[in-house]
Amino acid sequence: MTEHSFSQGWVEAGTALLPEMVALRRAIHAEPELGLMTPKTTAKAKAALAGLPLEIFEGPSTTGFIALLRGPANGRTVLLRGDMDALPLKEDTGLSFTSHEDGKMHACGHDTHVAMLAGAAKALCARRDRLAGSVMFMFQPGEEGHHGARFMLDDGLIDPLPDAAFALHVAPNLPSGMFGSRPGPLLAAADRIVLTVTGKGGHASQPHMAVDPIPIACEIVTALQSLVTRRIPAFDPVVITIARIASGTTNNVIPETAELEGTIRSFSQSSRALAHEGVHQIATHVATAHNAKASVEIIPGFPVTICDDDAVTLAKLTVQRLFGEAAWLSMPSPIMGAEDFSYVLQKVPGAMVMLGATPQGGDFKTCCGLHSNRMVLDEAVMARGVAMHCAIAEAFLSDGFDGSKEPTIP
C-alpha cells in the first residue's frame, strides 16, 4: 500500500459527516422495514445521495439499488455494501428515536450500515478526482433471512462484477472503534429445520392408549445434540439449535402432532452434509421407535461467509494506517452467525469487517448483543466506518491486492 495510494483526510471526512449520519441513522431506526421491500429506507438513502455524481441501478426483485461512482480513470471497480432491513422484534431500548413500527426494530445495526455507506458515498464523491477506478455502493434489503444479496445478483445489478467487495458490520460486543476480521470462514452457513412428529391423540390420563408426540420431540432434541458431539468432527463444528416447539391445546389432551423448528450452522459443505443427513436419520428413526412418524424439511439458508486472505490483509493494513495497530483484532475463530454478503463473496474476492460499537459506558463483554430488543450502539463509531470504507476503496482502486503484500506496519 503506497503512500500515493493512501491519501490522508478520510478520518477527518468521517468526523465531519458524523452529524449527518446520526440524523440519517435515527430516521431509519424510527421507521424500520422488513424483508426485500424497504421503500421508506430506500427513499431515505436516495435522499442522502441526492445531487451526487452517482448512477443509480435498480431491479425488480427488491427495493435495493446500486449507486455507481465512476472515477476519472477507467481502472478497477470495488463494491462497498450496506444492508437496510430490520428484524421482527418489539423494541425495548427507551431511545428517543425508538421504533414507531410495532414489532419491528433495527436490532442488527443495519440502520448504521446505511448511514455509513451514504456517508462514504458523499466523502468519495467529494474526492472523485483521486480515485483510480469506480466504486459500487450496494444498498441491500432482505439480509435477515430473505436472501437480498442473491436477488440483487440475480437481477444483474452487480454485472459486470467488481474486482473486490467489502462490507462493515457493527458489533456491540466488540470494543468501540475496534475493527476485526479473519481470512477464511468468518460466518457460518445457516439452514432452517422444520420437523413434525405425528403420533396419536388421546386422553392425558391414558397415555398408553395414545402415541404422545411431545416426549418423542424432546428425545429428538436431545439426540440431535449427541449428533453434534459424536458424529461431526470437533475441528469442523456444527451448531444445531431447536428454538421452537409447539404442541397441544390444553392440559388434559394428548395432541396428535408436535412441531419443532430450529437452525443448523456450519463452516464447510462436508459438516453441513453430515448434519443434514443426521437430522433426517435421527428424527425419522426416533419417531419410528415410538410408533410415530416424523417429517423433516431442511430449508437451505445463506452459504458460509468466506473472506479472501489478501482482502483481510488489506483491511488490516488500512485500519492500522488510519487508527494504529491496536485498532485491529485478528479474530481467532469464526462466528456462528450468518450473512448473505456470502453470496457476493462467492463471486468476488473480498471481506466483511466487524466494527466494535459498544455503547458509551457499557461493557462489551456483557452489553446486549446483536438481535437483542435492548441493543444500543455507540453512534460515534460511524465516523470510523466512513473512514474505513473510503480508505480501503481508494487503496484497492490504486494498487489492488498488491498493497496487501506490505509488511505489518511497525
Side-chain angles (χ1 to χ4, degrees):
M1 190 187 302
T2 66
E3 290 299 327
H4 172 74
S5 71
F6 194 87
S7 301
Q8 301 302 309
W10 294 126
V11 173
E12 292 78 6
T15 301
L17 287 165
L18 183 59
E20 293 180 36
M21 287 188 288
V22 168
L24 176 58
R25 181 252 167 160
R26 293 184 178 188
I28 293 170
H29 190 96
E31 291 189 291
E33 298 173 289
L34 307 180
L36 298 171
M37 298 297 167
T38 58
K40 294 179 182 178
T41 307
T42 297
K44 291 180 178 70
K46 287 182 177 178
L49 304 178
L52 299 178
L54 297 166
E55 300 170 38
I56 304 297
F57 300 92
E58 300 174 273
S61 301
T62 78
T63 55
F65 66 96
I66 297 290
L68 177 63
L69 172 63
R70 297 187 190 274
N74 186 21
R76 302 179 182 90
T77 299
V78 63
L79 181 145
L80 304 175
R81 179 270 213 161
D83 37 4
M84 300 196 291
D85 58 321
L87 283 159
L89 291 175
K90 183 175 177 61
E91 183 165 354
D92 188 20
T93 60
L95 294 170
S96 61
F97 50 93
T98 194
S99 171
H100 298 165
E101 304 291 334
D102 189 44
K104 301 177 185 178
M105 177 191 172
H106 272 289
C108 201
H110 296 183
D111 48 352
T112 65
H113 301 170
V114 177
M116 288 189 293
L117 193 61
K122 184 165 288 190
L124 285 164
C125 283
R127 295 159 178 78
R128 175 179 173 273
D129 60 323
R130 299 191 335 204
L131 300 180
S134 300
V135 184
M136 301 173 74
F137 302 96
M138 180 181 182
F139 290 86
Q140 179 222 307
E143 191 282 324
E144 296 293 352
H146 298 274
H147 305 269
R150 189 190 70 199
F151 280 105
M152 291 185 71
L153 283 162
D154 290 346
D155 284 346
L157 295 180
I158 313 172
D159 183 17
L161 291 170
D163 299 288
F166 297 92
L168 288 176
H169 200 304
V170 293
N173 298 119
L174 189 67
S176 193
M178 179 175 284
F179 296 82
S181 191
R182 68 187 308 276
L186 174 68
L187 294 153
D191 301 316
R192 180 183 169 204
I193 310 167
V194 180
L195 308 176
T196 301
V197 178
T198 302
K200 178 183 176 183
H203 199 290
S205 67
Q206 297 177 309
H208 61 286
M209 301 292 290
V211 178
D212 191 344
I214 294 177
I216 300 170
C218 294
E219 189 173 329
I220 290 171
V221 173
T222 302
L224 290 177
Q225 302 316 307
S226 295
L227 164 68
V228 168
T229 59
R230 290 296 179 265
R231 291 179 56 187
I232 295 173
F235 294 102
D236 189 9
V238 162
V239 166
I240 299 178
T241 296
I242 299 300
R244 187 182 73 88
I245 299 178
S247 185
T249 56
T250 188
N251 70 296
N252 63 348
V253 174
I254 292 174
E256 182 176 344
T257 62
E259 297 178 356
L260 302 86
E261 190 171 3
T263 184
I264 301 173
R265 304 296 171 115
S266 56
F267 292 121
S268 76
Q269 192 54 41
S270 60
S271 65
R272 193 180 191 183
L274 282 172
H276 285 205
E277 180 184 14
V279 169
H280 278 277
Q281 288 179 340
I282 286 170
T284 55
H285 287 272
V286 169
T288 299
H290 295 285
N291 294 322
K293 296 180 180 180
S295 66
V296 181
E297 184 180 13
I298 299 178
I299 302 163
F302 303 156
V304 182
T305 301
I306 299 177
C307 297
D308 178 83
D309 290 19
D310 290 339
V312 173
T313 301
L314 182 60
K316 174 183 175 181
L317 294 173
T318 301
V319 167
Q320 289 178 330
R321 281 198 179 274
L322 288 169
F323 306 112
E325 277 195 80
W328 178 264
L329 171 68
S330 293
M331 296 169 60
S333 58
I335 302 169
M336 279 292 181
E339 248 288 346
D340 79 343
F341 189 58
S342 55
Y343 290 115
V344 177
L345 295 183
Q346 283 185 325
K347 297 179 177 293
V348 177
M352 171 166 276
V353 178
M354 311 305 289
L355 170 56
T358 307
Q360 294 183 359
D363 181 348
F364 74 92
K365 297 178 181 178
T366 59
C367 69
C368 293
L370 299 173
H371 289 217
S372 166
N373 68 336
R374 298 176 182 269
M375 187 200 73
V376 294
L377 301 168
D378 178 8
E379 294 176 315
V381 303
M382 291 192 291
R384 286 195 166 205
V386 165
M388 172 61 174
H389 271 319
C390 295
I392 202 166
E394 183 186 35
F396 178 78
L397 293 180
S398 178
D399 292 335
F401 288 127
D402 290 341
S404 69
K405 307 300 191 295
E406 183 181 270
T408 301
I409 299 167

